[in-house]
Amino acid sequence: MSDIQHIVQLLQEQNICKQSGEITFHFMEQDIPVVTKDVIGGILQDWFGNWLKNNGIEWDNTGVHSQSWPDFILADGEHLEFKSFDSDANPNFDLANFDAYTRSLLTHAERLDTDHLVFAYRLNENCVEIVDFWVKKIWEMTGSSPTNFLNLQVKQGSPINIRPKNWRSPHVETFESRSAFIRALNQALQHFHPNRHPNWLEDVCSDYRSKTGCDL
């Protein structure tokens, strides 16, 4: 059993979706209830890192609380990203920065296989409960777009972040494979930045083959 499979098993055994907790801020002898959703993601990620250690699952802190990848490197070498969102709304987190991600795949194409642990939470006053969770690859959370080739946040004509779709809906289609995802990513890259990486798709496929021994 891999570390990620073990994590999923433990979360299920411990009934994570039936648990709730209060969030407060203690400062200068005052305890203030936290009722804003802006900080929930960071708090849950801190909790999860501590939960891993309390359950005997070792991890390295490379990349934690930064824009680098991954959030967690597990003892068996697997990479794990942590995401969360308000269950009463559509997933609204950034999957990755477009420029950084397309650049990183040139030398770390195995990043396509990174698992993402996603928590859907509900905040009532300062009480947080986990409604559901998933383990997904990046391409299983986003999909094609009629305007930008894939779901992107675009500002002033430039792609900023790769965004998720609401994969929970039976009417939403996500990419069916890594190959479909990177081909859409390549189309977007060549459209927005045609001279940046002219051989990007071929170079990513070559790096993935050299790292994994498999073709995309």
Side-chain angles (χ1 to χ4, degrees):
M1 180 184 296
S2 69
D3 280 346
I4 291 175
Q5 289 173 325
H6 188 205
I7 288 168
V8 171
Q9 182 184 62
L10 286 174
L11 289 173
Q12 292 172 337
E13 289 177 351
Q14 296 175 19
N15 294 317
I16 183 68
C17 295
K18 295 183 179 180
Q19 305 298 329
S20 63
E22 294 183 353
I23 300 179
T24 59
F25 175 63
H26 179 79
F27 184 67
M28 294 182 67
E29 299 183 355
Q30 296 185 67
D31 288 313
I32 306 299
V34 176
V35 295
T36 175
K37 297 176 182 177
D38 296 346
V39 299
I40 302 301
I43 291 173
L44 285 175
Q45 182 170 326
D46 284 343
W47 171 87
F48 178 68
N50 192 65
W51 177 87
L52 288 175
K53 291 184 176 179
N54 285 342
N55 283 275
I57 301 172
E58 297 298 323
W59 58 273
D60 183 53
N61 63 355
T62 302
V64 173
H65 299 313
S66 74
Q67 296 301 310
S68 60
W69 157 81
D71 291 330
F72 299 94
I73 300 176
L74 304 176
D76 62 3
E78 289 185 288
H79 292 166
L80 183 63
E81 292 274 83
F82 184 90
K83 302 291 183 182
S84 62
F85 68 98
D86 179 359
S87 68
D88 294 326
N90 290 336
N92 61 351
F93 50 83
D94 295 329
L95 288 169
N97 175 269
F98 181 85
D99 289 344
Y101 191 76
T102 52
R103 186 171 58 250
S104 72
L105 288 182
L106 290 168
T107 53
H108 295 287
E110 73 277 12
R111 185 174 182 178
L112 291 164
D113 295 330
T114 297
D115 282 313
H116 296 66
L117 177 63
V118 186
F119 279 7
Y121 66 82
R122 181 173 290 120
L123 179 65
N124 295 313
E125 298 297 332
N126 68 320
C127 181
V128 175
E129 60 179 348
I130 303 302
V131 176
D132 206 347
F133 75 93
W134 304 262
V135 174
K136 287 185 173 291
K137 311 292 187 186
I138 188 171
W139 46 272
E140 295 176 312
M141 293 182 285
T142 189
S144 62
S145 163
T147 55
N148 298 316
F149 307 100
L150 76 160
N151 220 36
L152 295 174
Q153 176 192 43
V154 177
K155 292 183 178 180
Q156 298 180 340
S158 295
I160 306 301
N161 293 303
I162 303 170
R163 303 303 298 273
K165 287 193 168 186
N166 186 17
W167 66 83
R168 300 173 297 174
S169 170
H171 307 295
V172 171
E173 292 186 1
T174 58
F175 290 116
E176 60 183 17
S177 66
R178 297 171 184 80
S179 178
F181 169 63
I182 65 163
R183 292 182 188 282
L185 201 56
N186 181 60
Q187 287 179 300
L189 181 62
Q190 302 312 322
H191 172 76
F192 289 106
H193 305 297
N195 300 315
R196 180 172 292 177
H197 303 295
N199 300 313
W200 184 85
L201 183 59
E202 293 82 359
D203 292 341
V204 170
C205 289
S206 177
D207 188 72
Y208 186 84
R209 189 182 305 112
S210 69
K211 297 293 177 56
T212 69
C214 300
D215 291 326
L216 280 171

